[in-house]
Amino acid sequence: YNGSLPSGDRGRRKSRFALYKRPKANGVKPSTVHVISTPQASKAISCKGQHSISYTLSRNQTVVVEYTHDKDTDMFQVGRSTESPIDFVVTDTISGSQNNDETQITQSTISRFACRIVCDRSPPYTARIFAAGFDSSKNIFLGEKAAKWKNPDGHMDGLTTNGVLVMHPKGGFTEESKPGVWREISVCGDVYTLRETRSAQQRGKLVENETNVLQDGSLIDLCGATLLWRTADGLFHTPTQKHIEALRQEINAARPQCPVGLNTLAFPSINRKDVVKEKQPWAYLSCGHVHGYHNWGHRSDTEANERECPMCRTIGPYVPLWLGCEAGFYVDAGPPTHAFTPCGHVCSEKSAKYWSQIPLPHGTHAFHAACPFCATQLSGEHNCIKLIFQGPID
């Protein structure tokens, strides 16, 4: 939540994860294909200690594709499972959640072995994404109900239950970026148009001119959590945590004031970003006027958060403002001038406008824009608002 997990980063469960070249290659590539008519034989092959993908076509026919060691690639696996083959354990993103007491998830839609990222060990270190990950017995098992098929060249392929979706932004991850088109990635890494719903049996159409190569700013959706992929080169041009801290100090040094109470406002420091402080700036999200906290202006007893701005009489939500802390979400190094509505996370204008346009998958067939810092669904005229600060009178 805004740069860290509610319970803190622990082991393989972190809010951000860096991929480094492994001491020894652990990648695999397809080798032998077996067509098997008895379940026992299929078990025997998948128990040989070699990686394999099993495609169950019917009760008496399974195709098992054995994988062999690939000295040129490293493989990293992502999923909900805490078993050892998973390098990066992901949990469901709860919209706007700041504490995890109320947010016990009954049923996660993230696959236990959701996807794998395979990186070349030599420059330019190309990274490719594939649906599904190998389990503890080094097997990927697509049961009878999973969507699967034989391609014209004879190789088997399939999709996972809820699918792995990827969106590459147009123009990379820069000030000029525009949202791309969401696609589904198959188990063998081909690119397809989306299914009618997330777990429909019928696959989409093959998109021949697109690949599963991850680019700076690519979004990976695992149906319950969305990951942002940043490249080393992309992060080199991104503002750092220090830069965001400098912007915070700069805005506080300008001593913005509450136009009504005339008290000086200040954004709280990044490391204690959960408790609303006395000097915290608040804003009316329909007009953008920044105030200190006050308790008047309620429009009705039923709508607790519908307040009237004392400056311009506009009615709308009134919320505390928080600086967006995760530097990787910023497309530029501009000053924090815009807030997402309705959560009040603040970042640069170009970053706010970029994320306001991105349709993120929600549930099994909906898409909506969300704040990157807390996953709250965005609303309001433009999903974000320019903040109007009042400087000191003197």
Side-chain angles (χ1 to χ4, degrees):
Y1 180 86
N2 198 7
S4 59
L5 298 182
S7 52
D9 287 354
R10 291 180 193 164
R12 290 172 297 151
R13 193 171 282 166
K14 300 176 181 166
S15 59
R16 69 178 80 78
F17 188 72
L19 273 56
Y20 292 99
K21 189 172 176 178
R22 294 188 184 275
K24 194 167 160 233
N26 74 332
V28 290
K29 55 189 176 187
S31 62
T32 326
V33 179
H34 305 268
V35 180
I36 288 151
S37 54
T38 67
Q40 287 75 16
S42 122
K43 276 209 177 71
I45 286 180
S46 53
C47 285
K48 280 194 345 192
Q50 224 172 338
H51 288 83
S52 65
I53 302 183
S54 311
Y55 301 88
T56 306
L57 302 179
S58 66
R59 209 159 283 170
N60 49 16
Q61 195 186 26
T62 300
V63 177
V64 179
V65 181
E66 281 193 48
Y67 276 62
T68 180
H69 177 67
D70 180 1
K71 64 178 191 339
D72 300 320
T73 62
D74 284 338
M75 179 170 69
F76 301 89
Q77 299 208 137
V78 181
R80 184 169 49 88
S81 170
T82 52
E83 289 179 34
S84 58
I86 294 295
D87 299 285
F88 182 22
V89 179
V90 284
T91 47
D92 291 69
T93 305
I94 310 295
S95 165
S97 157
Q98 278 186 280
N99 61 22
N100 37 358
D101 305 335
E102 310 156 24
T103 52
Q104 289 304 312
I105 297 192
T106 45
Q107 193 102 47
S108 174
T109 44
I110 301 172
S111 168
R112 293 174 61 241
F113 299 92
C115 69
R116 55 200 198 279
I117 294 169
V118 176
C119 304
D120 289 349
R121 285 173 65 84
S122 50
Y125 307 112
T126 304
R128 293 178 174 82
I129 184 163
F130 300 83
F134 293 100
D135 62 19
S136 296
S137 57
K138 298 186 179 174
N139 190 30
I140 290 171
F141 181 81
L142 293 179
E144 266 186 84
K145 290 196 175 130
K148 58 192 128 23
W149 59 90
K150 192 181 227 175
N151 281 312
D153 64 0
H155 83 262
M156 293 295 299
D157 203 350
L159 303 173
T160 54
T161 307
N162 287 329
V164 171
L165 310 187
V166 170
M167 188 202 80
H168 306 301
K170 292 176 189 148
F173 196 68
T174 65
E175 300 177 19
E176 314 305 314
S177 299
K178 292 279 178 285
V181 180
W182 282 98
R183 303 291 194 208
E184 180 159 13
I185 303 295
S186 73
V187 171
C188 293
D190 284 339
V191 181
Y192 286 85
T193 59
L194 301 189
R195 292 179 261 183
E196 284 212 351
T197 60
R198 203 70 197 233
S199 54
Q201 291 284 295
Q202 193 57 44
R203 71 179 189 266
K205 292 190 175 71
L206 179 68
V207 185
E208 297 199 30
N209 58 346
E210 292 181 24
T211 71
N212 62 336
V213 173
L214 293 171
Q215 305 160 16
D216 191 35
S218 292
L219 288 168
I220 302 163
D221 187 79
L222 305 176
C223 196
T226 307
L227 312 178
L228 170 67
W229 174 266
R230 297 300 315 266
T231 60
D233 186 52
L235 285 173
F236 185 73
H237 297 100
T238 293
T240 58
Q241 213 75 43
K242 272 190 184 152
H243 179 79
I244 292 173
E245 176 57 22
L247 289 173
R248 182 187 78 86
Q249 290 179 7
E250 199 176 309
I251 209 164
N252 288 351
R255 291 177 47 235
Q257 284 197 332
C258 173
V260 178
L262 300 182
N263 48 319
T264 302
L265 308 173
F267 278 99
S269 72
I270 283 171
N271 56 8
R272 43 132 320 284
K273 52 178 182 252
D274 292 341
V275 189
V276 179
K277 280 282 174 62
E278 196 181 333
K279 286 182 155 188
Q280 185 108 8
W282 285 62
Y284 286 89
L285 294 182
S286 295
C287 57
H289 281 114
V290 178
H291 291 257
Y293 179 71
H294 50 246
N295 205 7
W296 63 79
H298 289 281
R299 294 300 295 171
S300 71
D301 299 335
T302 47
E303 281 296 323
N305 211 16
E306 287 292 294
R307 306 276 280 272
E308 182 180 273
C309 172
M311 299 294 286
C312 66
R313 321 267 335 234
T314 309
I315 294 162
Y318 174 63
V319 299
L321 298 177
W322 303 95
L323 207 52
C325 295
E326 178 49 73
F329 293 145
Y330 284 74
V331 297
D332 69 335
T337 55
H338 283 61
F340 289 108
T341 58
C343 59
H345 279 109
V346 179
C347 63
S348 68
E349 177 179 8
K350 286 182 172 161
S351 300
K353 288 189 171 166
Y354 175 72
W355 288 103
S356 297
Q357 299 169 41
I358 299 279
L360 292 173
H362 179 70
T364 55
H365 50 265
F367 288 82
H368 59 60
C371 168
F373 301 107
C374 69
T376 298
Q377 183 173 341
L378 300 181
S379 60
E381 202 179 334
H382 302 293
N383 292 336
C384 63
I385 185 94
K386 184 176 181 2
L387 296 171
I388 305 165
F389 286 94
Q390 170 152 318
I393 305 299
D394 52 276

